[in-house]
Amino acid sequence: MFNTDGLNALREKHHETLTLMNRLEDTLSARFYRMDKSIECMILATLTGEPMVLLGPPGTAKSRLIRAFCNVLGLVPAEALHTRSDPKKTVLDKKEAYFEYLLTQFTEPSELFGYYDLAKLFGEEKQFERDTSGMMQRAQVVFLDEVFNASSAILNALLTFMNERKFHDRGKLHAVPMRLLFGASNHTPREDGLQAFYDRFLLRCRLDHVPATPEEISALVRSAWGETHATPVEGGTDFAGLLEKVDGFRADVDAMTKANALSINPADPIFNRFTDLTSELRRKELSQMSNRRMVKFSNALLAKCLLRATRSGTSARIEPADLGIILDFGLDQQDDSAVAKLRAHLE
């Protein structure tokens, strides 16, 4: 699908970054039982910069996983992972790197972007100026919980924020430093008006409770007990500067594409597999696979290929099995039987 020379040049130049991403995946997988797919999805979101959403019933550790991810990167203090901690003493203030908010239908844009400074509004200068300290447009990583509960006013503000990494404020356009956006929800959108917003979440990962067997429950409780009661080692050392390294990786993808050193090869047989799969997903109504999503999944496939090749020490080339990330993280709705049949054709 991509020319192999370009893929391997990218892998060699960013071997350290890709190795760190694999180590980050292993670190989180060791802490969370049966959440390997969710963690893989987060790693792909980190490398591509694409928004992702975790979908699953309450109590499946969606929020915990996202906070732990940020803790390992050094963006969130370890004590913030404990539900019993005092939120007034657990300010997530690593240079305003992380912003988290629980959305409801009554959430107003000012709760995310900051309220107007009343002192300045009613002072001599009568200025409309927001107090943006600690707000979403100052954060590198944003986590919006129950993201599909938001009102249309919030969603309209978020669309530009997600797509362009910019914030509109009273006719002025401000660039934002956001690198990653995570969402979580107990369900997929239930209103037709939310589909455009849902489409912006390229990567969707579904979680569920573990099977109610003695073996599964025992393994879960053992793993979760330590995660809940033993304060994790403060992150930020092993993975210091990882997000900056990822920025460099993305910049090189752009630069190599511009120089035609990294290009799509339509003659590659994997390209036909890709088009066949997306066509089947549309036909079976498992995913609309909009034009935007097809283009962006090409980037996710590139990331998957490079991570796999770095881990195995092999040449970088997209394999049919790599297309499985579309079945894992690209569906509008889940149909296990249909997905199993489609996956069998990729092996």
Side-chain angles (χ1 to χ4, degrees), residues 62-115:
K62 300 186 295 294
S63 300
R64 178 80 183 202
L65 176 61
I66 293 169
R67 293 180 192 130
F69 167 85
C70 292
N71 165 251
V72 171
L73 291 181
L75 305 179
V76 171
E79 60 268 20
L81 302 181
H82 293 276
T83 56
R84 61 181 179 275
S85 61
D86 183 349
K88 295 181 180 179
K89 297 179 181 178
T90 310
V91 179
L92 308 182
D93 187 30
K94 293 279 185 168
K95 297 182 180 179
E96 300 181 314
Y98 175 77
F99 179 86
E100 176 181 329
Y101 209 81
L102 174 66
L103 299 182
T104 73
Q105 59 181 322
F106 303 110
T107 302
E108 298 180 356
S110 294
E111 296 177 58
L112 303 180
F113 299 109
Y115 292 92

Side-chain angles (χ1 to χ4, degrees), residues 116-136:
Y116 288 107
D117 190 324
L118 295 181
K120 293 183 178 180
L121 179 61
F122 294 105
E124 294 182 1
E125 299 180 357
K126 298 187 183 303
Q127 293 181 338
F128 281 93
E129 185 175 324
R130 291 182 188 270
D131 180 2
T132 62
S133 57
M135 305 312 293
M136 187 166 73

Side-chain angles (χ1 to χ4, degrees), residues 312-331:
S312 63
T314 58
S315 177
R317 180 185 178 88
I318 294 180
E319 302 290 345
D322 294 333
L323 297 174
I325 64 170
I326 300 176
L327 299 176
D328 291 329
F329 312 128
L331 303 185

Side-chain angles (χ1 to χ4, degrees), residues 171-271:
K172 295 182 180 179
L173 197 62
H174 305 274
V176 300
M178 184 183 72
R179 289 183 166 105
L180 300 172
L181 188 146
F182 297 117
S185 177
N186 296 335
H187 53 77
T188 57
R190 294 170 177 169
E191 300 177 18
D192 292 339
L194 292 177
Q195 293 306 312
F197 183 61
Y198 187 40
D199 192 70
R200 264 63 173 191
F201 285 97
L202 177 72
L203 301 166
R204 301 103 174 246
C205 187
R206 289 166 170 80
L207 297 83
D208 205 348
H209 298 295
V210 302
T213 66
E215 295 79 13
E216 294 282 359
I217 292 176
S218 174
L220 170 68
V221 172
R222 287 200 311 271
S223 174
W225 181 266
E227 177 65 22
T228 302
H229 294 283
T231 301
V233 176
E234 193 70 56
T237 302
D238 292 343
F239 301 100
L242 180 56
L243 292 183
E244 287 76 13
K245 291 181 173 66
V246 169
D247 286 343
F249 168 82
R250 294 182 202 154
D252 275 343
V253 171
D254 293 343
M256 291 177 65
T257 300
K258 185 176 181 179
N260 205 33
L262 182 67
S263 59
I264 295 289
N265 177 16
D268 190 333
I270 200 69
F271 196 82

